[in-house]
Structure formats: C-alpha cells, structure tokens
C-alpha cells in the first residue's frame, strides 16, 4: 500500500532549512509561500532534523522559552498534514463554489489550520451573504462592486506565515473608501493618502525611534513580511458604510485566527531547545481601543505580551495612544524571547 502524500509549505519550515539548496519544485514559492510534496514519514523526519539543528543555534533564547511546556495533544505546525487536492475532493459542489476564493488566495499554511473552520455553518452562511452582495471570486466579481477590499486582497494578512508571526496588530473594520482597503489593518496601498489613524501610528513610532523617517505612503506590507500580522476583526465592508458587514460571522472567524496564533504564532522563530520548536511560544499583541481589548481578553497573559491602550484615531489618540511605547516594548520582549532575529524593524517601510 502506497504511503499517503502530504504537503509541507515553506511557511512552516524553520529558518535553518532555508540554507539548503531547494528542490526544483520549491522554486514555485509565492511571496513567503511554496510547497514540496513528500510522504508523511519524510515530513516527520524533516521536522525532527530542523528542530534538532535549531536547538544548537540559538543560545540567546530566554528561560521563558526553555521552560516552555508543550500542550497535551498539540501537533507541531510543520507536522500537520494537508493536501489541497484532497481537501477540494472532499467538498460538496456548493462548498466548492462558496469556498473557492479561500482556496485560491488564502496562504496555504493558514488554510490548513482553518480548513475545518471555513466549512462550519456560520462561515458558509457568511459566504452566502457575501455572494448575494456580489462578492464572489477573483475572476467573477465586478470591478465596480462597492464592497472592499477586492476579493484578491481579502486574505492579504495570511501572507504573513503563521510560524513567523511576532506581533499581532488588531484592527476593526476595513477602510470603507474606494481603493483604500487592501486586506491589512491600518494599511493602504501606495498612492493612497495616509489615513489619520496611521499618521498617528507613525508619529508614535517617531517618538520611540528618532531614526524613523515618515514614509510618503501608508503601505505596511514591509511589516507584514517582517512577522507583523495585520488583522481586522471584520474583513469586508460596503462602500461608505462602516461596520456594514459586522455581526455576519467575520468576528467569529477572526477570533478563531487569534486562537490559532495562540497555539502556533512564532512556532518557527529561533528556539533554544528542540522540543519547543514547531509550537507557539508567545507573541506580542497590540490591542488598541475597546473592541481590540475584548478580542484579546481570553489570551494567556503569561505566554504572550499583551499591550493595550487607546485607539490611534484622532478622536482618542491623546487619551493614551500617544506615549504608550508599544513598539519599543514589543522589541524588548521579542529579543529576550527569541534573540535579535525576533525584533521587528518598525522603521523599515
């Protein structure tokens, strides 16, 4: 009997493995994602090999990392099997129609840990609602549809590999002006005017890092590529109608995303021991405003650094956002936990 094929995605693999010459089919990597098909047995062997190497390469890991306790029954991130073709074969025709967008554009590391979530009744109901709104797939959604962001960008946050997440910044609703939202909270595409909240964020960074130079754009993709998960609680919105897609199911879905970050966020950052590699050992959460604070209320405060303050909106920035020192505090905590590689370069945009 042939061994069952699984897939390992490059977003799962720990840093030391990138030094090896990739297989030819690895060269299909898309941003931070790519895949190689191997057997489940081979997958486990690779995971063991990579974690073993890492145990020798990060002597700077803190005692908090070395004291990490693996939750009972939790499987290493890079040992979770997933086959997109088998997943599609298991779907009914209505599911294939409703979930085609997720299968097409969601980062595959995220898709494999959310595969059951997006087939739950509440999420399928959400997709039916969006379908009626005219929000379909990349190729069959009208370019004049006034629901944002465009379908191709709805899961842009998932291009930040789960195992490389260092910081989570929580937003509320996508920007509801045309051409503003592109799937990353607080961020706008280059060429779009920097929104007031983001200008205040830049002002706070400047106060903490004098070397920071205000960019002439508001695109935060550089942060996303550096391990910052830029996640809104609600992922779509109608033109000019804030919160118009709230309480439709997005909040339940993004709460699940946070639960997954709790388990696996930073799983492939440098580790001081082989055993903890592949499991989440803590990340930093920026919870600005009452809604974001509610979202992180259940997270393990001993495992993560959870920083709360007022929202950077012009209406509240003077009530506790300015002077919160979150960006510097995050880097100090991350360096203690993961070494210098754990820091975020907030000045690079």
């Amino acid at each position: 009997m042939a061994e069952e094929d699984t897939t390992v995605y490059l977003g799962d693999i720990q840093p030391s493995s990138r030094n090896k010459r990739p297989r030819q089919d690895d060269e299909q990597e898309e941003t931070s994602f790519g895949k190689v098909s191997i057997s489940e047995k081979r997958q486990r062997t690779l995971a063991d090999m990579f974690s073993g190497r890492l145990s020798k390469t990060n002597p700077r890991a803190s005692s908090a990392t070395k004291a990490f306790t693996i939750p009972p029954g939790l499987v290493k991130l890079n040992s979770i099997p997933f086959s997109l073709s088998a997943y599609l074969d298991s779907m009914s025709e209505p599911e294939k129609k409703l979930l085609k967008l997720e299968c097409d554009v969601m980062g595959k590391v995220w898709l494999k840990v959310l595969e059951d979530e997006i087939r739950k009744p509440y999420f399928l109901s959400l997709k039916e609602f969006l379908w009626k709104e005219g929000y379909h797939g990349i190729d069959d959604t009208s370019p004049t549809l006034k629901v944002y962001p465009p379908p191709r960008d709805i899961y842009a946050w998932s291009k930040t590999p789960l195992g490389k997440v260092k910081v989570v910044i929580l937003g509320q609703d996508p920007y509801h002006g045309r051409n503003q939202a592109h799937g990353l909270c607080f961020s706008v595409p280059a060429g779009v005017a920097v929104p007031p909240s983001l200008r205040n964020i830049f002002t706070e960074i400047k106060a903490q890092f004098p070397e920071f130079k205000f960019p002439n754009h508001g695109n935060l993709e550089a942060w996303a590529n550096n391990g910052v998960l830029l996640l809104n609680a609600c992922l779509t919105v109608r033109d000019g109608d804030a919160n118009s897609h709230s309480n439709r199911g997005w909040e339940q879905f993004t709460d699940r995303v946070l639960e997954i970050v709790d388990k696996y966020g930073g799983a492939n950052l440098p580790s001081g021991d082989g055993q903890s590699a592949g499991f989440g050992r803590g990340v930093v959460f920026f919870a600005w405003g009452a809604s974001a604070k509610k979202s992180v209320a259940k997270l393990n405060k001993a495992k993560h650094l959870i920083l709360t303050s007022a929202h950077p909106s012009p209406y509240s920035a003077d009530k506790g956002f300015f002077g919160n020192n979150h960006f510097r505090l995050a880097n100090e905590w991350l360096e203690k936990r993961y070494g210098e590689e754990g820091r975020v370069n907030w000045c690079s945009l």
Side-chain angles (χ1 to χ4, degrees), residues 7 164 173 183 192 262 277 303 341:
T7 301
K164 300 300 180 64
D173 215 27
V192 175
D262 180 41
K303 178 179 180 180
E341 187 177 333

Side-chain angles (χ1 to χ4, degrees), residues 124 147 193 268 304 310-312 345:
L124 295 174
V147 175
N268 293 327
H304 307 289
H311 193 275
N345 186 352

Side-chain angles (χ1 to χ4, degrees), residues 227-278:
V228 181
L229 187 68
L230 298 161
L231 181 69
N232 277 314
C234 189
L235 300 187
T236 55
V237 67
R238 290 193 200 108
D239 178 70
D241 191 3
N243 298 310
S244 51
H245 285 182
S246 63
N247 300 317
R248 292 283 184 173
W250 280 131
E251 294 87 351
Q252 183 174 343
F253 173 75
T254 52
D255 278 350
R256 178 57 180 156
V257 171
L258 294 182
E259 290 175 5
I260 289 171
V261 173
D262 180 41
K263 293 179 180 178
Y264 291 114
N268 293 327
L269 294 176
S271 158
D273 60 61
Q275 289 187 338
S276 63

Side-chain angles (χ1 to χ4, degrees), residues 129 147 157 167 202 249 283 338:
F129 162 74
V147 175
W157 52 269
V167 177
F202 290 161
V283 300
Y338 298 110

Side-chain angles (χ1 to χ4, degrees), residues 66-118:
K66 294 178 180 178
F68 176 81
T69 301
I70 300 171
L74 189 63
V75 178
K76 287 187 176 184
L77 176 61
N78 49 328
S79 296
I80 301 172
F82 181 70
S83 165
L84 180 58
S85 60
Y87 184 54
L88 291 171
D89 287 345
S90 72
M91 289 184 180
S92 65
E93 289 306 314
E95 285 178 323
K96 287 180 181 178
K97 183 187 84 168
L98 292 173
L99 299 178
K100 184 177 187 302
L101 181 61
E102 284 67 28
C103 294
D104 285 347
V105 304
M106 187 181 289
K108 295 304 180 287
V109 177
W110 287 96
L111 182 59
K112 79 172 184 178
V113 293
L114 290 166
E115 60 172 320
D116 294 331
E117 193 70 19
I118 65 175

Side-chain angles (χ1 to χ4, degrees), residues 14 16 48-61 66 270-275 277:
Q14 298 177 44
S16 63
D48 293 339
M49 179 179 69
F50 295 145
S51 61
R53 284 184 179 179
L54 284 171
S55 66
K56 301 177 182 179
T57 58
N58 186 29
R60 311 183 75 176
K66 294 178 180 178
S271 158
D273 60 61
Q275 289 187 338

Side-chain angles (χ1 to χ4, degrees), residues 66-323:
K66 294 178 180 178
F68 176 81
T69 301
I70 300 171
L74 189 63
V75 178
K76 287 187 176 184
L77 176 61
N78 49 328
S79 296
I80 301 172
F82 181 70
S83 165
L84 180 58
S85 60
Y87 184 54
L88 291 171
D89 287 345
S90 72
M91 289 184 180
S92 65
E93 289 306 314
E95 285 178 323
K96 287 180 181 178
K97 183 187 84 168
L98 292 173
L99 299 178
K100 184 177 187 302
L101 181 61
E102 284 67 28
C103 294
D104 285 347
V105 304
M106 187 181 289
K108 295 304 180 287
V109 177
W110 287 96
L111 182 59
K112 79 172 184 178
V113 293
L114 290 166
E115 60 172 320
D116 294 331
E117 193 70 19
I118 65 175
R119 296 178 75 174
K120 289 182 177 179
Y122 87 88
F123 193 85
L124 295 174
S125 294
L126 167 65
K127 292 307 302 285
E128 287 173 350
F129 162 74
L130 291 172
W131 194 271
K132 292 175 183 177
E133 292 271 279
Y135 201 90
H136 300 168
I138 298 175
D139 301 320
D140 57 351
T141 295
S142 169
T144 61
L145 179 70
K146 293 187 176 182
V147 175
Y148 311 130
R152 68 178 177 275
D153 292 332
I154 186 173
Y155 298 110
W157 52 269
S158 70
K159 293 179 182 178
T160 301
L162 174 57
K164 300 300 180 64
V165 171
K166 305 172 184 178
V167 177
V168 180
I169 300 181
L170 298 171
Q172 299 175 15
D173 215 27
Y175 294 121
H176 51 77
R178 189 164 185 81
N179 297 324
Q180 286 186 308
H182 68 143
L184 304 175
C185 74
F186 293 105
S187 179
V188 292
V192 175
V194 178
S197 292
L198 184 54
R199 284 202 303 269
N200 287 339
I201 290 172
F202 290 161
T203 298
E204 177 60 19
I205 294 174
K206 180 67 174 179
Q208 296 173 40
F209 300 95
E211 67 272 24
F212 176 73
K213 295 181 179 180
F214 284 84
N216 60 2
H217 64 86
N219 191 324
L220 304 181
E221 288 180 351
W223 288 357
N225 292 334
N226 197 204
V228 181
L229 187 68
L230 298 161
L231 181 69
N232 277 314
C234 189
L235 300 187
T236 55
V237 67
R238 290 193 200 108
D239 178 70
D241 191 3
N243 298 310
S244 51
H245 285 182
S246 63
N247 300 317
R248 292 283 184 173
W250 280 131
E251 294 87 351
Q252 183 174 343
F253 173 75
T254 52
D255 278 350
R256 178 57 180 156
V257 171
L258 294 182
E259 290 175 5
I260 289 171
V261 173
D262 180 41
K263 293 179 180 178
Y264 291 114
N268 293 327
L269 294 176
S271 158
D273 60 61
Q275 289 187 338
S276 63
F279 302 101
R281 284 154 287 138
V283 300
V284 181
F285 289 86
F286 291 171
W288 300 328
S291 177
K293 290 177 188 177
K294 183 178 179 181
S295 296
V296 300
K298 295 181 180 179
L299 295 176
N300 185 341
K301 294 177 175 60
K303 178 179 180 180
H304 307 289
L305 178 63
I306 301 174
L307 300 173
T308 63
S309 77
H311 193 275
S313 161
Y315 300 104
S316 57
D318 287 326
K319 299 176 182 178
F321 177 76
F322 288 137

